[in-house]
Every structure is written in C-alpha cells, then in structure tokens.
C-alpha cells in the first residue's frame, strides 16, 4: 500500500462533475482529517429574499467532508451509507464555507466520520455525522 | 387562514435560485403529501466514471420534499432543523428523481416529515426523515 | 434454508436477560413486519413527578422492533449499526407500548428498518429508523 | 438566575425511577460538559450467550448524557426531540460505562449535544448526537 498524498486527495475531490460545479477546493489534508472549501455561488441561494445558502448544499458539503476524511486514508472515494446533519445557523450569501471531516472510527466494512461546517467568518453553521462503506480491498 | 393552493406551493418551489438551477417541478400536491421532481443534469454526476448522481443531491431533494410537505399545509417554506438520509441504491444518470415528502407529525413548534426518493423507473433510491421549525404565527 | 416460524422469533425475543426484564412479548409477526409489546413497569418512569416513561426505553423498543423485522426473515438477531429516533409525544405511565418494525431494504451486508412506536391507546409516541448488519451467511 | 451546582445536577440525575434502576452516578460535571456513569448489571445482557450489553441501554445512556449537558447549565431536565446513535463496538459484560455529553449549541428553543460512550477500560463504544427542547423560561 503506497501512501496517499494531498495531490491524490485533490484529484479525487476535483474530478467529479458535481464537485467541479460546486468549485470545491482542498483547504487542508491530514490522514483522517480533511477540510474542503466550497466558495460562494449565486445559484446557491435558497429563498425569495436571497438571504441564505440552501441547506441541501450544507448537507452536500457535510457528506463530502466526511467522505474525504476516509479518502485521505484510502486514496479512493467511499459510498455514503447514511448521513445526519444538524443545522445550527443560516449560511450567509457571499461567504465561502468550510467542511471539516474527521474519522471517528474506521472498521473493516464501515467507517464513521464527524463533520463541522463553518463559514470563513468562523461561524459554526452545521454539524454532521455520516456512515461510509469501506472498500473491499481496504485501500489504494 | 386561506387555503393553500398548488399554485402557491409551486411558486415557493420554483422561486429560489438553487431550486431553479436544480430544475425542480411540483409533480403532485395534496395537504401534507407532496412529490417534487428533479430532472437529470450532467452536472449532477459524482464520480470519475460518471456512473451515478451525487448523494448530496439526493439529500437536497429529501430536504426539499420534507419541507414542501409542510409548505402544502402552511403556504410558506419552513427551516430545516435536522435531516437524516439512508442511501439504498445508486441513482443512475439520465434518469429523473422524485422526492415524496409526507407529514408524520406537525406540532406547534416542530414538525417531522418522512421522505422517499425514487427514480422515474420506480427504483427506491433513498429514504429520509427531517425535522422542521414551524412558523410562529402558524401558517399563511 | 428452513422457514422462520413465529416460535423461532419469540424464542430470540424472550431469551436475552434485558428483554426478560423489559417483559417483551411478540404481538404479531409476519416476514419483515413484526410488532413487539412492552408492558408498563414502574421502574420505567423518567421524572420526579412520575409522569412519563423514559425516552431511553422508547429508543430501546425502537431498536428491538427494527431488529426483529429482520429476525422474522433471518431467524437470528442482527447487530444494530446505527439508530435514529424522533420523539413525538410523551409515553404515559400505566400504558403498554407497541413497537412495529418493518424492513425498508435488506441488502447483502446491511438492512434498513422503519419503526413506529404507539401506545395501546393508539397514540403515536415515536418514529425511528435503524441500520442493521446482516449475517455473513445470510440466514438461518 | 442562580448558579447550577453539581449537587443540583446529581439530584436531577438520581431521582427518576428509571435512573435509579440503572444505578446512574454523576462522574464529572462542568457547565455544558457532563459525564454519567452506568454501572454494570446482569439484567443488561442482550444475547443468549450473555456476551454483550444491550444496545438500547447504550442509546439510553447517550440520551441521558446529552440531556445532562444541558442540565448542568439549566438546572432542569430537558425533553429529547430526537437522537442518533452510532454503535462502534460491543459493550462487554462486567464493565461500567461512561456517557460524556457536551453542548454543541444551545439556542433559545433547541439545543444540540454530542455524546461519547466509553467503557471504564477506555474503549470507545458508541457516539451519539441529540436535539433537546430548551425550557420556555430559559433556566433555573
């Protein structure tokens, strides 16, 4: 098993079509602890008054951050089995978001990751926790 | 309190910028039971092989379907407090998705909605459950 | 694979020490759809005014009902991977509770079950959803 | 508003009938960060081989630990709105369990708490997250 590099993780993060549309960037990367940056887009707004970012995008960022906590260890994306997200505050327009995913436990078949979503002003926007299916072979 | 019409619900569904980008349509609407249709877009794809729709979009559709179960009763959107989603099968490219949200319990302050996400081929893709904050005044 | 009988399910339900203390009974049993009855005990009360049954016991009943939806198909208990419960109403003292578990999807490795907890007066007390690990060999 | 003392928290913890049966003890208590100890009982066993503690009891301890994170700030118990628990390892017989609850966010109406359940051998058994309804008046 070769070591997983930040460049490997960045490649898995930036290749999928939806990640490209979201404009995702790898903000930081250590084994089992990854932060993904999601810049603001006007299409993200949720309401008629354009006052906050859609909660579905926060769930998306949480899902991805949890997933990439494992990508940083395994070198490959892992399927999400289930996800829970608690919304703490509305996400403001014009402000980028950071999703930090950390591995809670990585078993042979399943792994649990914790996620915290903050904005780049440092406000805590949401917390999440997801369950991911580990690859049969183990890793890269 | 005036009655909430399908046209009211459709207006709340199709106005937000993110809903417009997703191309959401109101497929059916009864009080407390709404189905939202999300057509396929190429930008939805999740992986390097372009073989499935991103799970974040399924969470987004689940969030919206649960929300609109209450919109059909209240005439206004309601903030999501928390959301849980279980992924059952991968969502294929080129196929539209349907999110059906039904009210489980509507309390004075909080409401619970159940969601089933299927594709238009009839496959069950995901199930979800969300908690939503009811508006102070009650409704439209 | 021999068929799983109600007597098989009842035996798995009533053997464990904690299930005995709870006084659990099999109220109904069809493949993938089981109802477990939990009679009232004074030790179940949660508060200083003795006015409601402890939420931990509702979570316990939800966990067990979801589990036994699979026991009715497999003939053996299955480990819970994760569990979510939404509390809808307080459970009154002196009233028995029913947990109905139904299989949402049974995969090769994992299964999802839905649970509804009602009291014997017909009030909906809680809803839950759990993820369970399927046995390697499949079933009895 | 008078300050909440450890003795206040202990009193709320040890008064309810179900907490008494569980034998709960306050292991540590700071504002927003509480650890509850649940000693082992033979009635806790889950299976025919008596090899592990019932998951319903882990959910119960998680619920209580999250609740008491708020009790340490408010001086009164708070109703659980919803709860999620991820089981990481089986809990062995004969070993006491510790549930540590910490406040993630305390809003005016709702609060989120995180929970980690360990055994007294230091093994991480489960993680949980719960949503609790804050009292109308605020606190003690």
């Amino acid at each position: 098993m070769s070591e997983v590099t930040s460049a490997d993780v960045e490649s898995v993060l930036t290749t999928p079509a939806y990640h490209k549309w979201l404009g995702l960037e790898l903000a930081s990367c250590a084994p089992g602890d990854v932060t993904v940056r999601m810049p603001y887009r006007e299409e993200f707004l949720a309401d008629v008054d354009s006052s906050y970012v859609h909660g579905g995008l926060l769930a998306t960022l949480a899902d991805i951050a949890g997933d990439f906590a494992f990508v940083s260890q395994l070198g490959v994306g892992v399927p999400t089995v289930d996800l829970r997200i608690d919304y703490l505050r509305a996400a403001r327009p014009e402000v980028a978001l950071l999703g930090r995913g950390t591995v809670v436990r990585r078993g042979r078949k399943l792994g649990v990751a914790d996620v915290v979503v903050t904005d780049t002003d440092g406000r805590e926007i949401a917390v999440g926790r997801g369950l991911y299916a580990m690859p049969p072979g183990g890793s890269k």
Side-chain angles (χ1 to χ4, degrees), chain A:
Chain A
M1 183 193 337
S2 57
E3 210 181 320
V4 179
T5 67
S6 280
D8 295 333
V9 176
E10 195 155 35
S11 165
V12 181
L13 182 66
T14 57
T15 302
Y18 191 49
H19 292 195
K20 276 183 186 160
W21 184 79
L22 293 169
L24 301 181
E25 299 159 15
L26 189 63
S28 80
C29 180
D33 185 348
V34 163
T35 301
V36 174
R37 186 174 183 277
M38 185 169 78
Y40 174 74
R41 279 187 76 132
E42 283 195 0
E43 292 92 337
F44 287 180
L45 291 175
D47 65 344
V48 291
D49 305 325
S50 295
S51 62
Y52 62 92
V53 169
H54 199 284
L57 290 156
L58 304 177
T60 298
L61 182 57
D63 181 14
I64 292 168
D67 201 302
F68 275 78
F70 293 105
V71 174
S72 70
Q73 295 182 330
L74 301 166
V76 294
V78 291
T80 312
V81 177
D82 64 43
L83 181 73
R84 169 173 171 154
I85 182 160
D86 290 77
Y87 295 102
L88 306 178
R89 287 179 189 81
R92 297 175 187 146
E94 309 289 343
V95 183
L97 293 165
L98 299 169
R100 181 179 184 177
T102 50
V103 170
V104 171
R105 172 157 162 74
R106 177 178 147 209
R108 202 163 47 85
K109 294 180 184 172
L110 294 168
V112 176
D114 257 354
V115 179
V116 180
V117 175
T118 51
D119 66 18
T120 49
D121 293 343
R123 298 165 70 241
E124 203 165 84
I125 304 296
V127 289
R129 186 167 285 153
L131 184 74
Y132 299 87
M134 297 297 104
S139 61
K140 188 187 172 179

